[in-house]
Amino acid sequence: LQHDPGDHAVYSNRSMAYEKTRKYEKALKDAEMSTQLKPDWVKGYYRKGTALTHLRRYSEAADAYRQGLQYDQRNQGIKKALSSVEAILVSQRMASGIFGGEQASPRPPTEKEKQIERHRSVMANLHTQSKLNSLMRTGNALNGVPAQVRRALA
C-alpha cells in the first residue's frame, strides 16, 4: 500500500488475506476501503459480505452481496453466498419463532424465504425416503410393521 494507497485491488486482496487468517474485522475494514475507492468493484462487496458472514452479521452480509449484484447480476459467487446467508437468516427467524414464542419479525416471509424453506422441506423428505428405502433393501427392517404400512412406504 506504500506504492499506491488508492489501489482498490490491493485492499481487496489484503481483505482476503485477513479473512484466511481469521482477522475478520481487518478483512471487513479493507473490503470497505476497496468499495470506497472503487464503488463498482464487485469483488470488494464479495469480500465485505464474507467478512460480515464470519462476524455473524448476516443481514449486513446479505446487503453487501446485494450491492455487489447491482454491478454484476450474473456473478455466481455472490449469488451463492447470498443464498447461503439468506438461508441462515430464515433459520434464525424460524428458531426465534420456535424458541422465542413469537416470530422475530412481524412481516410475512419473502418469496425467496418461502422458496428456501420449500427446498429444505423437499430435501428433508428426500433424505427420509432414502433412509426408508435403504432400510427396506437391508431385509428385515420392517418386521413387525403391518403390511398396510409397508405398502404405503414402498
Side-chain angles (χ1 to χ4, degrees):
L1 290 174
Q2 292 175 358
H3 297 290
D4 185 2
D7 188 349
H8 64 282
V10 172
Y11 284 100
S12 178
N13 291 339
R14 191 169 72 175
S15 174
M16 180 184 64
Y18 281 140
E19 185 251 326
K20 297 294 182 192
T21 58
R22 297 184 173 150
K23 296 176 182 174
Y24 304 124
E25 289 290 345
K26 288 183 176 186
L28 175 59
K29 184 178 176 185
D30 275 1
E32 288 174 332
M33 181 60 82
S34 174
T35 59
Q36 286 176 8
L37 292 170
K38 186 163 174 54
D40 63 345
W41 182 245
V42 175
K43 196 177 285 186
Y45 294 103
Y46 179 80
R47 302 268 188 250
K48 182 178 178 179
T50 300
L52 288 163
T53 299
H54 284 293
L55 292 168
R56 299 175 187 250
R57 293 164 53 182
Y58 302 117
S59 292
E60 292 172 79
D63 290 342
Y65 293 135
R66 285 186 198 103
Q67 283 180 293
L69 285 173
Q70 289 178 356
Y71 297 104
D72 182 2
Q73 298 172 353
R74 295 180 292 166
N75 187 301
Q76 293 302 310
I78 288 185
K79 284 182 175 183
K80 184 177 178 183
L82 176 58
S83 181
S84 295
V85 168
E86 286 175 336
I88 291 169
L89 290 168
V90 168
S91 295
Q92 285 181 337
R93 204 173 309 83
M94 289 175 57
S96 177
I98 292 169
F99 300 113
E102 61 184 61
Q103 291 285 338
S105 172
R107 69 168 178 77
T110 65
E111 284 305 312
K112 182 71 172 179
E113 291 166 343
K114 290 178 188 177
Q115 181 183 14
I116 290 168
E117 188 51 38
R118 283 192 301 270
H119 176 73
R120 281 187 178 182
S121 178
V122 167
M123 294 306 291
N125 288 338
L126 287 173
H127 178 73
T128 301
Q129 186 63 45
S130 174
K131 289 288 186 186
L132 287 172
N133 289 341
S134 176
L135 286 171
M136 291 175 72
R137 280 192 301 272
T138 60
N140 296 329
L142 295 178
N143 273 353
V145 175
Q148 184 179 16
V149 172
R150 283 190 301 231
R151 282 191 297 275
L153 292 174

